[in-house]
Amino acid sequence: MRKFLSIFVLTIIISFPTVLFGNNTAAAESHGEEIATYGKEFLGVSYKFGGTTPSSGFDCSGYLTYVFNKFNISLPRTAADQYQAGEKVSNKDIVVGDLVFFTTYKSGASHAGIYVGDNKFIHASSSKGIMISSLDERYWKTRYLGARRFITSSTNLTVKDGQIGVLTINESINLWKRTDDNQLQEVRVLQKGEKYRVYGYDDKFGGQYDLGGGLYVTNIDSHIVYSELTSKR
């Protein structure tokens, strides 16, 4: 009976994707406004390389990890790792609360901030501390790399090519990334109620779901529910 119900529900998901799967931009934007508002509370806090608190001062990634932690979103410590871990967002789809990345003192992502709307972002400047700058400024415009999203919708997803199922988070659980030596490294924490596309499964590390981009969730039945798509794209 349970198997029949699962197949029935998943058939509905595939048959009516516009109902259960959609663009997650609106949900991300709603939550992103809260994050941006909280981030602005630290305007004027001084810059400190390696700093992670208002009392000690912030560097760019330390500021981001501190702000997002307020909302139970764990970010990697460095801008480079944050750039690799977040969901890629096209320039036309950037919303408030997304992270924007730049290459500054070294190649690759070496600086980041929170997009706050009107083509502006808040960040920890090495010269002025926490401040708001414009993406249109020549310095930032010529060094811009792209945007990443760490805010996810709890219900909205679009079915993508290669997807085999959907993972629903019942309890907070770690997201891992496979390292070059085939080990798992913690990236951030997925929160209760969120849903993620699944692109594969293997039995390593006790079983793990492939969320794409080398990111994995281990198979802990009490924390996740996996639903296989009846028609894979």
Side-chain angles (χ1 to χ4, degrees):
M1 182 64 178
R2 183 179 297 175
K3 182 176 181 181
F4 171 76
L5 288 174
S6 298
I7 293 174
F8 176 73
V9 171
L10 287 168
T11 300
I12 292 176
I13 290 175
I14 297 303
S15 300
F16 302 98
T18 57
V19 177
L20 295 180
F21 295 131
N23 192 308
N24 69 349
T25 299
E29 186 169 14
S30 175
H31 198 32
E33 292 284 356
E34 300 177 52
I35 290 176
T37 298
Y38 179 67
K40 291 175 184 177
E41 293 183 12
F42 304 101
L43 283 169
V45 171
S46 62
Y47 178 90
K48 180 180 180 181
F49 184 77
T52 59
T53 66
S55 59
S56 66
F58 291 114
D59 64 14
C60 70
S61 56
Y63 168 64
L64 300 182
T65 57
Y66 186 89
V67 170
F68 274 72
N69 186 61
K70 171 73 173 180
F71 298 88
N72 297 316
I73 300 174
S74 297
L75 303 184
R77 177 60 183 89
T78 68
D81 287 342
Q82 291 168 358
Y83 185 71
Q84 294 299 320
E87 177 185 354
K88 186 176 180 179
V89 181
S90 65
N91 292 341
K92 65 181 180 64
D93 291 327
I94 297 176
V95 298
V96 175
D98 287 340
L99 301 188
V100 287
F101 291 86
F102 309 86
T103 179
T104 54
Y105 66 93
K106 63 179 180 179
S107 61
S110 53
H111 189 74
I114 303 170
Y115 185 71
V116 295
D118 297 325
N119 225 30
K120 296 178 180 179
F121 65 102
I122 187 169
H123 62 119
S125 163
S126 59
S127 59
K128 297 182 180 180
I130 304 301
M131 64 176 294
I132 294 176
S133 298
S134 173
L135 291 170
D136 292 326
E137 294 176 29
R138 185 176 183 279
Y139 179 85
W140 299 114
K141 189 173 185 178
T142 58
R143 290 165 172 78
Y144 179 72
L145 287 180
R148 296 292 184 266
R149 180 169 298 159
F150 285 87
I151 308 167
T152 58
S153 165
S154 61
T155 58
N156 298 322
L157 289 174
T158 54
V159 180
K160 292 191 173 181
D161 289 341
Q163 181 181 344
I164 66 171
V166 174
L167 201 65
T168 301
I169 310 303
N170 277 352
E171 298 293 340
S172 298
I173 189 171
N174 289 336
L175 176 68
W176 305 89
K177 187 174 182 67
R178 183 76 62 78
T179 63
D180 293 338
D181 57 355
N182 207 32
Q183 298 298 310
L184 290 181
Q185 179 180 32
E186 182 180 345
V187 174
R188 62 186 176 98
V189 178
L190 308 185
Q191 302 298 325
K192 182 177 180 179
E194 296 176 348
K195 293 180 183 289
Y196 294 88
R197 304 176 189 90
V198 177
Y199 297 93
Y201 180 83
D202 61 50
D203 57 4
K204 296 178 180 178
F205 305 99
Q208 57 181 1
Y209 292 94
D210 177 4
L211 304 190
L215 300 174
Y216 296 87
V217 171
T218 50
N219 187 13
I220 303 177
D221 290 339
S222 60
H223 285 58
I224 57 176
V225 174
Y226 172 67
S227 301
E228 184 177 7
L229 299 183
T230 57
S231 177
K232 303 177 182 63
R233 296 181 64 180

